[in-house]
Amino acid sequence: MALRANWRGFLKVAELTCPVALYTAVSTSDRIALHTLNRETGQRVRRQFVDSSTGDPVESDAQVKGYEVAQGEFIVLEPEEVASAVPDSDKTLSVRAFLECGDIDDVYFDRPYYLAPGDRNAVDAFTLIREGMRAKGAAALATTVLFRRVRTLLIRTHGDGLIATTLNFDYEVRSAVDAFGDVPELKIKGEMLDLARHIIKSKLGKFDPTAFDDRYEAALAELVKAKLEGRPIEAKRPPKAANVVNLLDALRESAGVKSAKAMATPKGKAASAPKKSAARTKAKPKTAAARKGSGGSTSTRRKAS
């Protein structure tokens, strides 16, 4: 089935104009949809807006938008006033600049769209723009009014077409300092770093989206199927709790390397216990520093990039 364009307009690069169409690249329409039902009647229930003070239902023609300026105090915005804030659209996707494909932090990426020629007459101009960008390894920054807002889009080559990804606004992206500000600066070196490099190298691969399953969607589909067939629903077993191990030992185990202590112990024989002295000496209490240093677990946190 042919895709339906979400938006049609013109891609403009300097004085070159090309009719284009935007198509949604990502869709959730194939996910299993669950509805809210009345348990007693088995019928669907509908949401209804009610007045928070009186509890009375409010019909759609009596509903209006408002901005809360204080607790329980609102400024009413009429529909025509809200509509006047929507920017005028000339349906033009204007390229403001070209840049390297990796120049934009992907934390700003919002939603991808396929950008294709708007009609057969646009193929020549579209191909010229696409191949020019591919030859330079460049991406384009463009702006247009999309879904009632002025949006910035990053346009990149993609096979026979282009990918236009809407970008988040600066005020929408939270500062990384808020997340990483408390991460201490640690230096990892020696065997731990070598083991980490080895594990990463041994697991190098390529991204294959078909290799990843939506386990929740699959489990939900199986649940619905079991219900339809009248089969009993098996209770899900809780996962086994993972043992807390020393970080270095965990790295060694992941890399398939035995610890020095384990390699020093002959196979099938337990390490001999130290001989007790005939004259027992009174053990000295450990200092706080010594007790702290004798802990069996080591943890580390990576440095924020």
Side-chain angles (χ1 to χ4, degrees), residues 7-21 91-96 98 115-116 125-126 129-130 133 140-143 155 162 164:
W7 180 91
R8 289 184 178 274
F10 299 90
L11 176 62
K12 185 176 181 181
V13 183
E15 299 303 318
L16 179 62
T17 303
C18 170
V20 291
K91 293 289 185 179
T92 301
L93 191 55
S94 302
V95 174
R96 297 169 54 185
F98 290 97
L115 185 62
F126 183 88
I129 296 171
R130 182 195 67 205
M133 292 172 59
L141 272 181
T143 56
I155 302 175
L162 298 169

Side-chain angles (χ1 to χ4, degrees), residues 16-304:
L16 179 62
T17 303
C18 170
V20 291
L22 277 178
Y23 300 90
T24 301
V26 178
S27 174
T28 59
S29 61
D30 290 335
R31 291 180 180 175
I32 294 177
L34 300 179
H35 302 285
T36 303
L37 309 178
N38 183 334
R39 185 186 295 275
E40 296 181 359
T41 65
Q43 300 300 316
R44 288 184 62 179
V45 299
R46 294 183 299 175
R47 288 187 175 92
Q48 188 177 41
F49 288 96
V50 298
D51 189 292
S52 61
S53 177
T54 65
D56 297 331
V58 180
E59 300 300 328
S60 57
D61 58 354
Q63 297 171 16
V64 66
K65 300 294 183 182
Y67 178 79
E68 189 171 19
V69 294
Q71 184 68 32
E73 183 180 346
F74 300 88
I75 293 178
V76 174
L77 300 175
E78 297 295 339
E80 58 273 12
E81 294 174 330
V82 175
S84 67
V86 178
D88 295 331
S89 174
D90 59 0
K91 293 289 185 179
T92 301
L93 191 55
S94 302
V95 174
R96 297 169 54 185
F98 290 97
L99 63 162
E100 297 290 334
C101 287
D103 281 356
I104 295 183
D105 190 333
D106 57 8
V107 72
Y108 284 91
F109 290 5
D110 178 25
R111 191 173 182 85
Y113 293 88
Y114 294 128
L115 185 62
D119 53 50
R120 293 182 179 180
N121 297 326
V123 173
D124 288 345
F126 183 88
T127 303
L128 175 62
I129 296 171
R130 182 195 67 205
E131 292 307 306
M133 292 172 59
R134 178 170 285 144
K136 294 294 292 183
L141 272 181
T143 56
T144 191
V145 175
L146 195 62
F147 312 130
R148 303 198 306 173
R149 287 177 177 246
V150 176
R151 300 301 302 263
T152 301
L153 296 94
L154 179 68
I155 302 175
R156 296 164 291 169
T157 60
H158 184 79
D160 293 332
L162 298 169
I163 286 284
T165 304
T166 53
L167 300 180
N168 293 313
F169 293 101
D170 183 60
Y171 72 85
E172 295 175 313
V173 177
R174 294 179 175 179
S175 172
V177 176
D178 296 338
F180 307 139
D182 295 333
V183 179
E185 184 174 346
L186 299 177
K187 296 293 183 182
I188 305 298
K189 56 184 179 180
E191 183 186 3
M192 294 182 72
L193 186 57
D194 291 338
L195 287 171
R197 287 171 175 168
H198 172 75
I199 294 169
I200 293 172
K201 183 179 179 181
S202 66
K203 290 186 174 294
L204 288 177
K206 293 184 178 180
F207 174 64
D208 178 10
T210 62
F212 298 91
D213 298 323
D214 187 342
R215 291 189 293 174
Y216 172 74
E217 190 76 6
L220 200 59
E222 179 59 28
L223 176 60
V224 172
K225 184 179 179 181
K227 284 277 191 176
L228 288 172
E229 296 175 353
R231 291 189 279 114
I233 307 301
E234 297 182 3
K236 186 177 180 181
R237 295 180 181 179
K240 294 182 179 180
N243 294 328
V244 179
V245 296
N246 179 278
L247 179 57
L248 183 56
D249 288 342
L251 286 170
R252 286 169 176 160
E253 184 177 346
S254 300
V257 178
K258 295 182 179 179
S259 66
K261 183 178 180 180
M263 289 187 293
T265 303
K267 187 175 182 180
K269 294 183 179 181
S272 59
K275 295 181 180 180
K276 295 182 179 179
S277 174
R280 294 185 178 179
T281 57
K282 189 175 181 181
K284 295 181 179 180
K286 292 183 178 180
T287 63
R291 289 196 300 270
K292 185 178 180 181
S294 62
S297 62
T298 306
S299 62
T300 183
R301 302 172 74 183
R302 67 180 181 83
K303 179 180 176 183

